[in-house]
Amino acid sequence: NGNLSMQIPASPDGSGDVAFIASPMGKGGKAFQLTLTSPEKSLLAGSAWTTGLTCLVRDKEGLISSDPAHLVNFRVEGPGQIIGENSRNAYGGYVELDYAASNEVGTALIIAEASGLIGDTLAIDLNDQIVIDNFEDYRSFSDLEIAWDIRGGTKAQIFLDRTNRGNGDYSLRLTYGIGNSYPPYAGIVKLLDRKYSGTNRLRFWLKTDNSNR
């Protein structure tokens, strides 16, 4: 319900994935403001893509309010729409709803308002293409290994490369070995967090090693 304090101890390589500690922050007071959150910052326009939204009712200290209920009004400026009712009661300090993409490309501003409270606005971009990975957000090599998996086949390794790249600061570099009893294939796999319905082609930047393999 948002009343957790997260502490991530620093690790030697800066990855921050050694451990984490979660502890209750206590009960909140009188409602003061709304906070809108979503796991998605962009969706594919012209598709059936949706994303969940959570609206938290917080007190002045940022804790989840202990007020019994608040009527929250939602509206969208720009493409897309709220699924279901635009006005909903937030019980226990939060309310959940869904937003659906439309055919129009642009930025949707999802606005949450409640009487006597400071509202909030969340921006979601609707694009005609979706970036699966641009390799810009990995804080360490261990983060990269979690996202991308090497499965069987020849000897292969992956790295973040700042020398050979397309647009941006990083690319994914793959080193491999062929011959000497190594099989002539390897699987470099990224598990996607959604089904990419509505898409019909894949584009990527590639620089070869000129080995003609």
Side-chain angles (χ1 to χ4, degrees):
N1 64 2
N3 278 356
L4 287 178
S5 172
M6 304 296 292
Q7 296 178 335
I8 305 177
S11 60
D13 65 355
S15 65
D17 56 7
V18 175
F20 67 90
I21 302 169
S23 57
M25 292 180 63
K27 195 173 183 179
K30 183 177 176 58
F32 179 71
Q33 61 187 351
L34 303 176
T35 302
L36 267 175
T37 64
S38 172
E40 303 283 356
K41 298 303 181 186
S42 63
L43 296 174
L44 182 66
S47 70
W49 284 23
T50 64
T51 186
L53 306 173
T54 300
C55 182
L56 301 175
V57 183
R58 299 184 182 272
D59 66 8
K60 284 188 176 182
E61 304 301 322
L63 299 178
I64 300 302
S65 171
S66 57
D67 290 357
H70 283 275
L71 181 64
V72 183
N73 301 307
F74 300 94
R75 58 189 172 90
V76 178
E77 292 185 358
Q81 62 183 356
I82 299 295
I83 300 176
E85 298 295 328
N86 282 9
S87 296
R88 308 186 185 202
N89 281 305
Y91 296 107
Y94 76 99
V95 61
E96 296 179 331
L97 62 157
D98 293 303
Y99 165 83
S102 66
N103 293 328
E104 183 183 353
V105 173
T107 298
L109 299 179
I110 303 168
I111 300 167
E113 299 170 311
S115 178
L117 304 182
I118 298 175
D120 195 19
T121 300
L122 176 71
I124 295 180
D125 293 325
L126 300 189
N127 303 307
D128 57 4
Q129 60 183 7
I130 294 295
V131 176
I132 295 176
D133 202 333
N134 58 13
F135 307 104
E136 300 296 317
D137 298 324
Y138 297 107
R139 296 177 298 172
S140 69
F141 176 66
S142 59
D143 285 352
L144 182 69
E145 284 189 309
I146 292 172
W148 290 83
D149 186 25
I150 301 176
R151 298 187 179 179
T154 190
K155 181 180 179 181
Q157 290 180 297
I158 56 175
F159 305 92
L160 290 173
D161 191 344
R162 297 196 65 174
T163 302
N164 302 289
R165 61 187 190 275
N167 295 326
D169 295 326
Y170 292 94
S171 68
L172 179 69
R173 180 179 180 182
L174 168 66
T175 63
Y176 60 92
I178 293 180
N180 297 325
S181 76
Y182 291 126
Y185 61 86
I188 313 298
V189 179
K190 179 180 174 68
L191 296 179
L192 303 178
D193 55 2
R194 65 156 65 241
K195 294 180 179 179
Y196 280 72
S197 59
T199 58
N200 53 25
R201 54 184 174 269
L202 178 67
R203 184 176 66 187
F204 58 92
W205 178 86
L206 173 67
K207 181 177 181 181
T208 71
D209 60 3
N210 297 317
S211 65
N212 294 320
R213 293 173 176 169

